[in-house]
Amino acid sequence: GYLVRQENETSSRNTFVLLKHAHDATFNQLLHTVTNLFTDHQFSSFMDYYRSNDVRQQLSVINNLNSIKNSLIELENICFYYPQYGYTLSTVQTISEIALYHDRDFLLSLRGSFFPSFRTFVRSVTFPFSASPTDVVSLVCTLPFSASDRSVKSYYLIIDLKYSAISASFSDVMLNNDSGLMIFDSQGTLISGAGKTYPLSALMDDSQPLSESITTAQRTIDGEPLSLYFTKNADMGWIYVYAQSARLFAQRLYQIRNVIVAVFLAVVTVGVLYAWFASKRLYRPIHQLSEQLGNQDVDVFDRIDGIIAQNERLNNQLQENLVTG
């Protein structure tokens, strides 16, 4: 039982590591690709190009933005929002006044907020020329126009990721029916999940420390005992949780024990039967000899004495014949 539990612990931990690695690889590539969105001065100067009607510079910025969008299948849309000017630059509508932009309500809700690093939003967006809303995970951060003064004249970068692309990265490692993996943003909102999912408040409390290393815990939720594994993505601020049902594992352990006991009993039974048949084969010739001897009317010892006496008579006769001769 102990060895099986250790094997289950190792298997669960390795599954969790593989699932998290699949996500980290996806988003590390994404963050690496969009790094120039933070450092390229063309994006902070875009409204100056637009107001001065510098078409060549405008096209250069737009082409750069579209090339980034097309290089990653996880990207649904990239949008820069310049609240000071009331304009947006995006891969969906290119240049648009905020009043005409398809997602203006969400952008207007960002005004006055400051996100020095990515803030995650899970939402549904209806893009232009689309009849139905699309589920996205939006990453939002605030960028300064001036590197020397980060407190004034800032603008927003909004990156809409395909929700389906996040969920698809779970397909590399199949989950058992009694387990589930969940990803929450820093606010505790479920970004994506596979298997059986639970709210973050039920899985952990505010006092539980989290780091990039894996920590474990035991918790009972709705009468279901769970083995939990936690870790945190430092770059995105996302919390990864892997839940393994302790009850179903105990049932599987009980079934494994029953199989082992059944195999042991079968081996013992076969051994006993083999020994019985072997003893029967060895006993048969002895029994036959005993029956043959038992069927004789003369006692065995009497027959031996008779043979000895007969040998003595033959010996005497031989001696007499030699003397006569």
Side-chain angles (χ1 to χ4, degrees), residues 311-321:
N311 288 337
E312 290 178 351
R313 286 195 302 270
L314 293 174
N315 186 51
N316 293 334
Q317 290 178 1
L318 179 62
Q319 293 295 332
E320 290 177 356
N321 292 334

Side-chain angles (χ1 to χ4, degrees), residues 270-285:
V270 170
V272 171
L273 291 175
Y274 178 80
W276 183 76
F277 283 113
S279 65
K280 290 287 289 182
R281 294 190 64 181
L282 291 174
Y283 177 72
R284 187 175 299 117

Side-chain angles (χ1 to χ4, degrees), residues 106-274:
F106 176 70
L107 298 186
L108 289 174
S109 69
L110 301 176
R111 298 191 63 168
S113 302
F114 183 73
F115 309 113
S117 58
F118 275 126
R119 171 78 181 274
T120 306
F121 297 86
V122 182
R123 59 203 189 95
S124 292
V125 181
T126 302
F127 290 100
F129 314 110
S130 176
S132 58
T134 302
D135 293 330
V136 298
V137 176
S138 298
L139 307 179
V140 181
C141 70
T142 309
L143 300 176
F145 281 107
S146 172
S148 59
D149 189 356
R150 295 177 174 270
S151 61
V152 297
K153 295 185 178 180
S154 57
Y155 59 108
Y156 296 97
L157 168 61
I158 301 94
I159 301 176
D160 293 324
L161 306 179
K162 297 177 182 178
Y163 187 88
S164 57
I166 298 178
S167 301
S169 58
F170 286 120
S171 62
D172 293 337
V173 180
M174 298 301 295
L175 294 173
N176 297 325
N177 293 330
D178 58 341
S179 61
L181 187 136
M182 293 140 279
I183 298 181
F184 301 90
D185 65 12
S186 58
Q187 306 302 312
T189 302
L190 181 65
I191 298 174
S192 186
K196 193 170 184 180
T197 61
Y198 305 88
L200 183 61
S201 59
L203 296 169
M204 60 179 295
D205 51 43
D206 296 335
S207 62
Q208 184 169 346
L210 285 177
S211 63
E212 292 185 73
S213 60
I214 297 176
T215 58
T216 61
Q218 302 290 327
R219 185 158 297 204
T220 300
I221 302 176
D222 298 331
E224 181 74 18
L226 298 173
S227 298
L228 303 175
Y229 304 82
F230 300 90
T231 190
K232 190 173 184 178
N233 183 300
D235 294 326
M236 307 297 291
W238 292 355
I239 301 170
Y240 294 76
V241 184
Y242 182 63
Q244 174 75 43
S245 173
R247 175 180 298 171
L248 293 179
F249 168 70
Q251 292 176 357
R252 289 204 304 270
L253 185 61
Y254 180 76
Q255 293 171 356
I256 293 172
R257 186 185 66 179
N258 288 345
V259 170
I260 294 174
V261 171
V263 171
F264 174 77
L265 291 177
V267 171
V268 171
T269 302
V270 170
V272 171
L273 291 175
Y274 178 80

